[in-house]
Amino acid sequence: MAADYYEILGVARDASPDDVKRAYRNLARQYHPDANPGDPDAAEHFKEINNANDVLSDPAKRRHYDQFGDARAGAAGFGDFGGISDLFATFFGGGFGGGAARRGPARGADVLAEIALTLEDAAEGVEREVEVTTLGACPECNGSGAAPGTFPTRCSDCGGTGEIRNVRRTMLGNVMTASTCPRCGGAGQEIATPCPHCSGRGRVEVTDTLTVQVPPGVDDGAQLRVSGRGEAGVRGGRSGDLYVAIRVLPHEVFRRAGSDLGCEVSVPMTVAALGGTITIPTLDGPLEVEVTPGTQSGEVKRLRGRGMPHLGGRGRGELVALLKVETPTDLDPEQVELLQQFAKLRDEQAGSKGLFDRIKEAFQ
Ligand SMILES: [Zn+2]
Ligand SMILES: [Zn+2]
C-alpha cells in the first residue's frame, strides 16, 4: 500500500506532533468500527488511519518515512498497525481489555532477538543474519491443528466468533460484556481429529534464519521490528512480530553521545607550545589537524561531519577531540640538560626564587 500518511490524516508535511495527534483522534473517533457497525469501508479506512498515525506519531518512524516512503515496504520495516488493542489502550487508558479486541484466533507472541554491532557497523549500516527459534505454523496441517484430510469445524458454543457475549439489564440500560469462549479458547474452531505432528496445537518449534537490514546511525538499545516474523498465530491467527534489539559494543577509541563521537588525543608538549600538526583518529581514518602555538590540555577540536550518521536523516554529527598535552617521561640526559636550560631562561627552575616569590604573592 503506497498510501500517503499525511493525506490520510489530512495534515501538512510539517505538521507538529500535536497536530498529528489531534487529527488522528478526530478521524479515529469518526471511523471507529464501533461507530460504524458492519461498514467494511469504514473499517478499512480506520486501519489506514491507524497505520498513518503509527508512523507519523513516532519521530524515528516519521523521519524514516519522510526519507524512504512507506516504512513497511523495507526489509526491516519499522512496523505496521499493532492491532486494534493498541488503539483501545490509547483511547481508554488501557483499561479496555476484553471484548472485541480479543475476538478471533489468538495472535502469535512477539519474539525478541539481539544482535551486537561494532561502532563501525552501526555507522555504516549492515545486513545481518539473525537465527530465531520460534513457534511456526505446523507444516503437516498448515497450522490448522486438524489431522491431514480433516478440517476444523466451527465451535458449537460461540458459533465461530471465539467469544461469548452476555447482555445484562441494569437501571442504566443494557450492559454487554464479552469473554473468550472457554470451549475453543477464542479460536472459534473445534478439532475432532488432532494433527499428530503438532498434537492439534497447529504450531511447532522452528528455527528460521532471516536477514535484517540495520540502518546507518543506529544506537545501542534500538529495536527493529520485523512485521509478522514472530510466533505464528494460533490456528490461523495473526503472527507476532520479531523485534531485533541492537547492541552497539563499546569502542576502544570513541565514545558516543547520540550522533556525536568523542575521543582523547595526546599532543606532545613541544607541539602544544610551538604549534603544529596532530593526528586525530576518525571513523574514516586518521586526520591531520593543525593546533595553534600555546595549546592547552583540555582544549577541544570539533570536527563537523565526522560523528555518527543521523538515523534516518541526512549528514553526520561531529567528532569532539579532547586534547591532552603529554609530559615526557623518558628523557635522556641530553634532553634533561636542554630542558634545564629552557627552564633557566624562563626563570622556572624548581625552588627558584622567582617561582617561589610568585606563589607567595598569589597567597597574599
Ligand atoms: Zn468457541
Ligand atoms: Zn499439525
Side-chain angles (χ1 to χ4, degrees), residues 154-164 180-190:
R154 187 179 285 186
C155 170
S156 51
D157 273 13
C158 64
T161 62
E163 65 176 13
I164 304 289
T180 302
C181 171
R183 189 182 182 90
C184 63
Q189 296 175 336
E190 287 179 281

Side-chain angles (χ1 to χ4, degrees), residues 107-125:
R107 177 180 179 272
D110 293 333
V111 173
L112 183 69
E114 190 185 82
I115 52 181
L117 304 175
T118 62
L119 189 71
E120 286 86 352
D121 284 346
E124 279 179 26

